[in-house]
Amino acid sequence: MLGLGAAGLVAAPALQRGLESFLGAAADRDPTGLTGLLPNGGGFRYYSVAASVPRKGPDDYRLTVDGLVDRPGSYTLADLRRMPRTRIVRDVQCVTGWRVPHTAFTGVTLSRLLSAAGVRPGAAAVRFTCFDGEYSESLTLEQARRGDVMVALGMNDEPIGHAHGGPARLYVAPMYFYKSAKWLSGITVTSEVRPGYWEERGYDIDAWVGRSNGRDDAPTV
């Protein structure tokens, strides 16, 4: 019995990764969205609004920063990995009700990228686009400059996999998880907030956990 228990502990991480990979791949090819109802061992659900999402890695991933900035730019994955990192551990809260406690995200604060680009006068918001070709999000400039908003490259101290929005995704710690756009490819500084994919379908633009969307969840801590 002890031997079986030890074997289970050793095998559990590999089994968990296998389950995540399977569900992520299935969600990529599921036009019904029903795979989003299936939890994996980590508690996450897999949502995608596109019929399929291309996979990108170190050779072909690019993150562009443009709009109302003095120095537009394009970052490779290697460029982002060379930048100073921030690590945040918070609960992940979905507006549909599920919650994953004490999830670690590591990445480059959005404020660092905005400072490097040089935000112009008249800028008031930031729009995010994704390489799935469908999803978008927005934050006010003040929200985007918070210390708990980042371009995340790692989750739970491992590189973010494709199913979780890798190789780089937006992470907005104090807001519901739909604000944390997966498969991030573009950051555009704008003069006003433009509603994102779910806001155009009725979700709140300001998505503070426990203070929006008619929900009273405990804040993410």
Side-chain angles (χ1 to χ4, degrees):
M1 290 294 290
L2 288 174
L4 287 172
L9 289 173
V10 171
L15 291 172
Q16 172 64 25
R17 287 192 295 270
L19 179 59
E20 289 186 356
S21 177
F22 169 77
L23 288 176
D28 260 359
R29 295 165 175 79
D30 175 19
T32 69
L34 292 177
T35 47
L37 302 176
L38 300 174
N40 69 71
F44 286 89
R45 310 297 200 272
Y46 291 97
Y47 300 120
S48 172
V49 300
S52 64
V53 183
R55 292 175 179 265
K56 293 186 179 291
D59 294 334
D60 59 355
Y61 178 77
R62 297 293 183 276
L63 175 63
T64 60
V65 181
D66 57 19
L68 298 176
V69 297
D70 293 324
R71 297 175 292 278
S74 176
Y75 295 87
T76 66
L77 200 55
D79 292 334
L80 294 171
R81 287 172 174 170
R82 282 192 292 266
M83 299 181 76
R85 304 278 190 93
T86 295
R87 185 175 186 270
I88 299 173
V89 181
R90 298 273 186 89
D91 294 355
V92 166
Q93 176 71 55
C94 181
V95 75
T96 60
W98 56 264
R99 191 179 187 107
V100 182
H102 309 303
T103 304
F105 281 92
T106 307
V108 180
T109 57
L110 188 56
S111 62
R112 182 177 295 276
L113 293 172
L114 294 173
S115 294
V119 175
R120 292 179 180 173
V126 184
R127 178 172 170 80
F128 307 94
T129 50
C130 308
F131 62 79
D132 68 350
E134 298 286 343
Y135 205 77
S136 63
E137 257 307 337
S138 288
L139 294 170
T140 68
L141 190 57
E142 181 180 6
Q143 292 165 354
R145 283 173 163 160
R146 289 175 58 106
D148 52 5
V149 176
M150 69 168 67
V151 174
L153 306 173
M155 188 178 81
N156 290 331
D157 302 316
E158 293 186 356
I160 295 181
H162 176 78
H164 286 292
R169 68 176 296 160
L170 184 66
Y171 177 54
V172 185
M175 293 190 179
Y176 286 107
F177 210 37
Y178 66 86
K179 301 296 287 191
S180 297
K182 298 195 289 187
W183 306 301
L184 184 66
S185 61
I187 298 171
T188 302
V189 179
T190 61
S191 60
E192 61 183 4
V193 171
R194 294 176 57 187
Y197 181 91
W198 284 117
E199 287 93 21
E200 291 178 339
R201 291 157 176 80
Y203 283 35
D204 285 356
I205 292 177
D206 289 331
W208 306 106
V209 173
R211 294 187 284 125
S212 65
N213 295 283
R215 297 188 62 88
D216 59 356
D217 304 287
T220 53
V221 294

